[in-house]
Amino acid sequence: MTVAVYVGPEPVPVLIDAVRRAGGQVVPLERAEAIVYYGNDDPAEIRSMIHEGIRWVQLPHAGVERWAAAGVITEHPVFTAATGSYGPAVAEHALALMLTAARDLHRHARATRWGSNTSREFAGSTVAIVGCGGIGRALIGMLEPFGCPVIAVTDRGDAPGAVKVVPRARYREALPEADYVVVAAPATPDTRGMIGAPEFALMRKSAWLVNVARGGLVVTDDLVSALRAGDIGGAALDVTDPEPLPDGHPLWGMENVLITPHCANPRPAYWRGLAERVTANVRLLGAGAPLEGRVSPSQGF
């Protein structure tokens, strides 16, 4: 069955090609049964585009908290996200942050004179991954050559390669054992602020926090306090709250903090992952099969 798809409001060529690669037909919105959305991310924009003939809407990001909070996500039409499509790229960034922290590269690379060796081995470190979706599962595989025991926080019941699996409601149990705590959970009302002062108190004083999810999952003021007090070893952040992090914020001046500007998913990987998701879902919709990356209205991810 040929699927009639509207790509827009920005008609991105790579997404148009992805639809056609699956045998779909790119059509004006009024004739479409599906929307591959790429625009300004305004929930009102998507809401205005949906008509009674639309059966499926593909969102361009893995995180859908903006649309979930606005009540845009519904059972009909079905909404899908890019969840899992960007997992390997973001996991690679998380690994790079941990290696940088372990080897103290953020200090050594900036040095202007010869100094003492403060690096340490990363191999064998215990890594707790809070949220084992596409990012977490990809990271487990990348950690295997380093011999890192992994504690996975997930409600899926299993996480191949992890030595221990902890349900999400008991995520704090994973913190005391970890040398690195990697936050890779979706942003929902339940996960906002899930890492704050009580959680930092449970972590080892040498442990590093690594956040590649959303900045709002970490209470920034509590993080600053924990770092100043020496309650944790450091923080490596690809995302912050607020974001972008303002000039002059205390985190910028801390030696044991690594900050990257929400760049864990390089643009080529972003477009490749999104295009692959679009092609797969156009084919699945045409075949009447369940779609990949379906968003639950009740869970918000």
Side-chain angles (χ1 to χ4, degrees), residues 14-190:
V14 69
L15 300 181
I16 292 172
D17 290 344
V19 170
R20 290 173 174 162
R21 193 177 305 119
Q25 181 182 10
V26 177
V27 300
L29 178 60
E30 62 271 15
R31 291 173 46 204
E33 59 186 310
I35 296 171
V36 172
Y37 174 78
Y38 195 84
N40 62 15
D41 291 351
D42 182 353
E45 184 174 57
I46 289 186
R47 188 178 279 116
S48 70
M49 294 165 62
I50 295 172
H51 56 74
E52 61 180 12
I54 298 296
R55 299 195 288 143
W56 161 53
V57 179
Q58 174 68 53
L59 298 173
H61 309 307
V64 298
E65 61 273 16
R66 180 192 301 255
W67 298 294
V72 172
I73 309 296
T74 58
E75 293 287 353
H76 181 80
V78 171
F79 279 76
T80 60
T83 310
S85 298
Y86 313 136
V90 179
E92 184 179 277
H93 195 84
L95 177 58
L97 291 175
M98 287 188 282
L99 287 168
T100 300
R103 293 294 177 158
D104 220 4
L105 294 182
H106 52 296
R107 290 194 182 104
H108 292 317
R110 295 171 181 158
T112 57
R113 66 184 65 180
W114 205 264
S116 59
N117 182 357
T118 56
S119 67
R120 62 190 187 278
E121 285 185 293
F122 175 70
S125 300
T126 298
V127 179
I129 304 176
V130 182
C132 267
I135 297 169
R137 288 172 183 255
L139 183 56
I140 290 174
M142 293 179 187
L143 291 170
E144 185 177 356
F146 293 94
C148 293
V150 174
I151 305 169
V153 176
T154 178
D155 284 338
R156 298 187 182 206
D158 72 326
V163 298
K164 182 189 291 187
V165 177
V166 177
R168 187 172 47 178
R170 291 164 39 204
Y171 71 95
R172 294 178 182 86
E173 295 177 14
L175 305 181
E177 299 179 51
D179 298 300
Y180 299 88
V181 175
V182 179
V183 181
T188 69
D190 290 338

Side-chain angles (χ1 to χ4, degrees), residues 146-253:
F146 293 94
C148 293
V150 174
I151 305 169
V153 176
T154 178
D155 284 338
R156 298 187 182 206
D158 72 326
V163 298
K164 182 189 291 187
V165 177
V166 177
R168 187 172 47 178
R170 291 164 39 204
Y171 71 95
R172 294 178 182 86
E173 295 177 14
L175 305 181
E177 299 179 51
D179 298 300
Y180 299 88
V181 175
V182 179
V183 181
T188 69
D190 290 338
T191 61
R192 183 166 184 83
M194 69 185 301
I195 304 291
E199 290 71 38
F200 294 129
L202 294 172
M203 292 172 59
R204 296 178 177 178
K205 289 189 177 297
S206 59
W208 274 65
L209 176 75
V210 179
N211 190 2
V212 291
R214 286 291 188 268
L217 275 64
V218 175
V219 182
T220 302
D221 289 347
D222 290 355
L223 173 60
V224 171
S225 297
L227 290 164
R228 283 175 170 165
D231 293 335
I232 63 173
L237 313 170
D238 186 56
V239 290
T240 61
D241 182 25
E243 187 175 307
L245 196 65
D247 294 349
H249 193 279
L251 288 172
W252 285 120

